[in-house]
């Protein structure tokens, strides 16, 4: 590959992994669907490929793009974000102890509660914004410190540099779920993390039409190689067509993030002054408890926010029901704006406040979005 690596992230997003196809000169990458590749005379891999589960050219383009965007030595792609998470956790030597946030992606909470104990992995949940609490949780032993920032759905900000220092002082690997921020806003490896995890289903794909996950590693060491080997043997690999769609998303990621953030900022300014809103959770607000850390480790504050309404659960459900442009649906990071009552989807013991709605700000004209919010609040 001849693209220099000292390029800025916006250029990396457009070019890395998108090199012109040497066979045809095609400017857009081909999708390689082959499951098997011809051997050489001695049974060797002629072009570096043998069987799709063990690697294929379209996936390799995406892995290269994600590694370059995160400033990582190597990256792996998975069938989903949860496949990436479980691929990492299940590669830990056991018994293991994991310290993770009490406010994190619900799928990880369920996985940790239902599947990790049987694998001799114990989990301590802690408020990651409280460094003293993290230090005491780590003092009990820690093999993996898990960070998610901004967190879901309260948009808490964790200080990646401070947490990495604590984790490393206790001999832990430090991993960060960077799904909400994307490498265009935060590059956790630059702040000391060892591994970055993505649900590429969200902003990377960007169009709510492709599931995927990724891990990016600061070192291509034995652990990274073990995770790769496990993936290729257990088989939760990303399909080539999904890799191709995600690679397509990479090309516009920088432009989309800029507009997502600009739209979110205007919506936050509108909502923060509205009498029907009790509270807006968004790290770009100066009074947000994580604002200073966010300003240090993020290039912009993202397009995920949550609001808490005056009048409790009924007001929240009523507002979600009245919106015409925002779709009431889960997930995030697509072109269309989404809104969701988190407590309703969290099962019998929701951790989200009942008056909370989570918003993924999309790429519509922001004045239409604000008018829609205004009519739903009146
Ligand atoms: C969606 C999501 C995941 C899980 O990813 P899937 O692609 O749905 O498996 C993990 N972390 C965060 C922050 C997410 O938003």
């Amino acid at each position: 590959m001849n693209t220099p690596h000292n390029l800025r992230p916006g250029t990396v997003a457009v070019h890395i992994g998108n090199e012109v196809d040497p066979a045809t000169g095609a400017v857009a990458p081909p999708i390689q669907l082959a499951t098997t590749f011809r051997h050489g005379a001695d049974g060797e891999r002629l072009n570096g490929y043998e069987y799709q589960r063990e690697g294929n050219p379209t996936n390799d383009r995406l892995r290269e793009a994600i590694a370059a965007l995160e400033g990582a030595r190597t990256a792996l792609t998975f069938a989903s974000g949860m496949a990436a998470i479980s691929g990492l956790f299940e590669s830990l030597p056991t018994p293991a102890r994991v310290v993770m946030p009490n406010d994190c992606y619900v799928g990880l909470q369920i996985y940790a509660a239902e599947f990790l104990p049987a694998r001799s992995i114990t989990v301590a949940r802690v408020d990651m914004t409280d460094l003293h609490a993290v230090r005491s949780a780590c003092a009990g032993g820690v093999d993996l410190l898990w960070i998610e920032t901004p967190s879901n759905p309260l948009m808490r900000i964790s200080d990646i540099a401070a947490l990495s220092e604590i984790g490393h002082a206790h001999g832990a690997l430090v991993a960060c779920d960077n799904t909400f921020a994307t490498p265009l806003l935060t590059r956790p490896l630059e702040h000391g993390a060892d591994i970055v995890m993505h649900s590429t289903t969200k902003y990377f794909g960007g169009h709510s039409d492709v599931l995927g996950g990724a891990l990016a590693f600061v070192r291509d060491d034995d652990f990274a190689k073990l995770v790769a080997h496990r993936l290729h043997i257990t088989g939760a690999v990303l399909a080539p067509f999904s890799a191709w769609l995600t690679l397509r998303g990479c090309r516009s990621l920088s432009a989309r993030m800029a507009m997502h953030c600009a739209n979110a900022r205007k919506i936050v300014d509108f909502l923060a002054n509205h009498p029907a809103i009790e509270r807006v959770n968004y790290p770009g607000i100066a009074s947000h408890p994580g604002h200073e850390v966010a300003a240090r480790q993020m290039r912009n504050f993202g397009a995920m926010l949550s609001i808490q309404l005056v009048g409790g659960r009924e007001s929240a459900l009523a507002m979600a029901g009245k919106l015409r442009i925002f779709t009431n649906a889960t997930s995030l990071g697509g072109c269309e704006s989404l809104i969701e009552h988190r407590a309703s989807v969290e099962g019998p013991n929701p951790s989200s406040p009942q008056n909370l709605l989570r918003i993924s700000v999309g790429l519509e004209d922001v004045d239409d979005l604000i008018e829609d919010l205004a009519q739903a609040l009146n």
Side-chain angles (χ1 to χ4, degrees), residues 28 51 74 111 116 134 143 240 242 276 310:
Y51 184 62
T74 185
Y111 173 66
L116 291 183
V134 177
D143 299 285
S242 298
V310 176

Side-chain angles (χ1 to χ4, degrees), residues 102-367:
N102 49 20
D103 178 27
C104 67
Y105 182 70
V106 67
L108 174 56
Q109 297 184 36
I110 296 169
Y111 173 66
E114 295 182 12
F115 295 96
L116 291 183
R119 304 188 61 88
S120 303
I121 300 176
T122 53
V123 174
R125 306 270 300 274
V126 55
D127 176 358
M128 287 285 167
T129 63
D130 178 351
L131 297 180
H132 295 292
V134 177
R135 249 181 236 110
S136 24
C138 289
V142 56
D143 299 285
L144 176 67
L145 178 68
W146 186 265
I147 303 170
E148 179 182 325
T149 183
S151 78
N152 182 22
L154 293 175
M155 307 302 136
R156 292 209 176 110
I157 298 296
S158 302
D159 185 334
I160 301 169
L163 291 166
S164 298
E165 214 178 293
I166 296 172
H168 291 153
H170 290 84
L173 275 175
V174 177
C176 182
D177 184 336
N178 199 28
T179 300
F180 277 27
T182 82
L184 272 302
L185 305 187
T186 304
R187 306 216 306 164
L189 303 184
E190 286 175 358
H191 300 282
D194 303 294
I195 301 167
V196 176
M197 175 263 155
H198 281 285
S199 167
T200 56
T201 311
K202 315 295 167 52
Y203 288 106
F204 267 96
H207 296 74
S208 304
D209 57 9
V210 59
L211 200 68
L215 295 174
F217 298 83
V218 76
R219 293 172 299 273
D220 191 7
D221 57 7
D222 287 349
F223 185 73
K225 288 185 168 65
L226 174 66
V227 179
H229 180 57
R230 177 180 302 276
L231 166 63
H232 296 144
I233 293 302
T234 57
V237 294
L238 188 65
F241 186 57
S242 298
W244 183 83
L245 281 172
T246 310
L247 194 57
R248 191 179 210 259
C250 282
R251 286 199 153 182
S252 58
L253 182 61
S254 173
R256 283 186 287 109
M257 288 314 290
M259 187 166 172
H260 279 299
C261 292
N263 279 1
R265 165 54 74 180
K266 288 192 181 155
I267 284 175
V268 164
D269 289 343
F270 166 75
L271 291 169
N273 296 313
H274 198 287
I277 306 290
E278 183 183 288
R279 185 189 170 87
V280 178
N281 302 307
Y282 183 67
I285 297 178
S287 62
H288 183 286
H291 178 69
E292 258 178 57
V293 176
R296 211 182 321 127
Q297 75 188 14
M298 302 182 78
R299 283 163 61 113
N300 203 330
F301 300 104
M304 292 301 297
L305 58 118
S306 57
I307 52 177
Q308 294 177 243
L309 282 89
V310 176
R313 174 186 168 88
E314 280 63 43
S315 311
L317 292 175
M319 181 195 181
K322 279 200 256 174
L323 287 163
R324 299 188 198 116
I325 299 175
F326 288 77
T327 301
N328 186 339
T330 197
S331 200
L332 60 125
C335 299
E336 63 292 317
S337 292
L338 302 178
I339 193 158
E340 178 183 34
H341 186 244
R342 288 296 300 170
S344 295
V345 297
E346 283 173 356
N349 298 308
S351 56
S352 297
Q354 287 289 351
N355 68 341
L356 179 142
L357 294 171
R358 187 184 79 175
I359 297 176
S360 168
V361 177
L363 301 178
E364 300 91 339
D365 187 308
V366 71
D367 292 332

